[in-house]
Structures are given as structure tokens and as C-alpha cells.
Amino acid sequence: MSETYTAAIIIIGDEILSGRTQDINANFIAARLHQRGIHLKRVITIPDEMDTIVGTVNEYRTTYDVVFSCGGIGATPDDLTREAMAIAFGTELERNKEAEAMLNGYYGERINDLRLMMADLPKGCRLILNELSGAPGFVLENVYVFPGVPKLMRKMFEVIEPELPEGSIVTLEYLSPIGETLFADLMEAAQNKYPDVKIGSYPELDEATNKWRCKLTFTSSTEEAIAPCRDQLLSAIQERAKRA
């Protein structure tokens, strides 16, 4: 039986909370985690506030197997994530020589003190290579820290993806012949009997017929775990559909 691994995503930035910028990083990471069989349990968006970042990181890193942070590792005053991570892990910022060399190599004669600040990283962290802009992300234990720029984040996620744990997530989908209000009690009974299977109900409009239909999903670690729950619920729905 496959191991079960859990994850959380922390999106950091006032620009996300104000609506000035739309977050697409969480969606990308969520999809890649699902492919890898890692169960994403939390996605949270928080402001550029030191105490909030520190508190969230400390809560999540002790609760979930892996944590991903996006945003706030640049060199402007509102970029607090590097320092917040150091505080959360009980360490301090130091000039990382490897990161400094990366920045010097990328900027060349354009390097300045402000850009070099992005090499001030939590002591003991491990770097995540950034081929696109020179400034690396970093890893502290089970926390992966990325920039907020989607293009950079995606490229850097691909660097660390092979080292993430691999679990198993199986999702099977079926269309119900009746609406969810007619089978909600049946769904509840199946969910109570099979708590290791997550059942989802999602109404959607069929554009071809302009009629509503309902998609049922069953999610667990294996298809074998899903089978008895699926069989019970679909059979009960079919019987009720005959009388609907």
C-alpha cells in the first residue's frame, strides 16, 4: 500500500489579497502534487506581515509533510519572506556565497547592493537553482521557498520536483442520472461507511443539451479502495433514478 503524503501551499503578498495580482501559482503546484500522489490539504494567502508569515510557516511545517511558499524573496522592503523563514527556523540571515556568485554571474556589471541582498538567506538553507533571473529560491527542511513570479516559480519547481515524495491518488469520475438533491442522503451514507474514500458532487451545465448534470468523483489511494464505495453509491442512485 502506498504511503500517504500531505502538503500545504502558502501564497504571500498584499498584491494578491488586494486583487491587483491574480495568483496562479497555487493551481500549478496543486496539479503537479496531485500527479505525484501528494495530498494537498491547505492553500492559504497571507499578507506581507512578519508575524503572520512566521506563524503560518511554523504551524504548517510541523503539520504537513511538505510546504511550499511563494512570494516575498526579492530585494524591496515588502519582501519579508527570507527573514521570516530565518525566524521561523530559529536561525539568522547570512550572505550565502553560492547565491552571491549566482547573482554576480547573472547581473555582471549591473550588480549592486540591493540585488546582492537577495543572497542574504537563512543560515543552513539549500539553494534552488534559478536559471531565469539569477536569484535562487531555497529549502529549509521540508519547506520550499519560491519567488512569486509564476514563470520563475514554475521553472524552479521543476528543479526540486524529482526529490518530492511519491504517493498515490486515484480519482474516478461518473455522471449521475439524477440531480444531487435527490441522492445527497445516499452520498452521506456511503461517505460515512467508507471514510477513506472522498466523494465529491459537482453540478455542471452540459452545453450540448443545455441541461444540468452532476459529476460524481471518488478519490482514494487505490482503485481497489474506491470500488466498494463506488458500487454501493452508484447502485443506490440507479435504483432511485428508476423512481424519480
Side-chain angles (χ1 to χ4, degrees):
M1 187 173 180
S2 299
E3 292 283 345
T4 299
Y5 298 100
T6 60
I9 300 171
I10 305 171
I11 304 298
I12 301 170
D14 293 339
E15 71 279 12
I16 304 295
L17 292 169
S18 69
R20 294 193 304 273
T21 301
Q22 183 177 6
D23 170 60
I24 58 175
N25 288 332
N27 179 263
F28 172 84
I29 296 175
R32 298 298 275 261
L33 294 179
H34 190 84
Q35 292 172 10
R36 204 165 179 87
I38 299 174
H39 296 259
L40 180 61
K41 295 295 187 180
R42 291 287 185 277
V43 178
I44 188 172
T45 302
I46 59 176
D48 296 303
E49 296 175 357
M50 187 69 72
D51 289 346
T52 302
I53 299 171
V54 172
T56 304
V57 170
N58 275 333
E59 176 187 353
Y60 283 11
R61 72 186 182 92
T62 57
T63 303
Y64 306 105
D65 295 307
V66 284
V67 178
F68 303 91
S69 165
C70 299
I73 62 173
T76 56
D78 61 335
D79 289 318
L80 305 177
T81 302
R82 291 176 290 110
E83 184 179 357
M85 290 292 174
I87 294 172
F89 281 86
T91 186
E92 58 187 4
L93 293 180
E94 68 173 8
R95 179 61 53 92
N96 186 292
K97 298 302 181 184
E98 185 180 359
E100 185 177 37
M102 290 178 181
L103 289 163
N104 276 309
Y106 179 80
Y107 286 106
E109 295 181 354
R110 297 176 295 133
I111 196 68
N112 57 39
D113 289 342
L114 190 62
R115 286 168 172 162
L116 281 173
M117 282 179 58
M118 292 185 288
D120 293 338
L121 301 174
K123 187 175 181 179
C125 72
R126 176 165 55 90
L127 301 187
I128 305 174
L129 179 65
N130 176 7
E131 297 177 348
L132 298 180
S133 72
F138 57 93
V139 186
L140 284 162
E141 296 181 10
N142 63 334
V143 179
Y144 293 81
V145 184
F146 298 114
V149 179
K151 188 174 182 179
L152 299 181
M153 186 283 296
R154 293 183 181 199
K155 198 71 174 176
M156 294 163 77
F157 186 90
E158 291 172 358
V159 173
I160 60 89
E161 190 171 14
E163 71 184 53
L164 297 177
E166 289 187 86
S168 176
I169 300 176
V170 176
T171 299
L172 303 180
E173 298 182 356
Y174 302 89
L175 286 177
S176 169
I178 55 177
E180 63 180 2
T181 56
L182 298 178
F183 66 73
D185 60 325
L186 302 176
M187 179 176 166
E188 181 179 12
Q191 186 66 87
N192 289 338
K193 186 174 180 180
Y194 300 99
D196 292 336
V197 179
K198 182 166 287 188
I199 310 172
S201 173
Y202 306 98
E204 56 184 33
L205 184 63
D206 186 338
E207 295 183 0
T209 63
N210 200 36
K211 293 182 179 179
W212 286 94
R213 62 185 185 180
C214 190
K215 180 173 69 177
L216 281 169
T217 64
F218 299 82
T219 302
S220 192
S221 57
T222 66
E223 189 168 345
E224 289 74 18
I226 292 172
C229 176
R230 173 202 61 199
D231 293 347
Q232 173 183 313
L233 181 54
L234 294 185
S235 176
I237 289 175
Q238 289 289 349
E239 286 299 315
R240 184 162 292 180
K242 294 176 183 178
R243 305 191 300 270

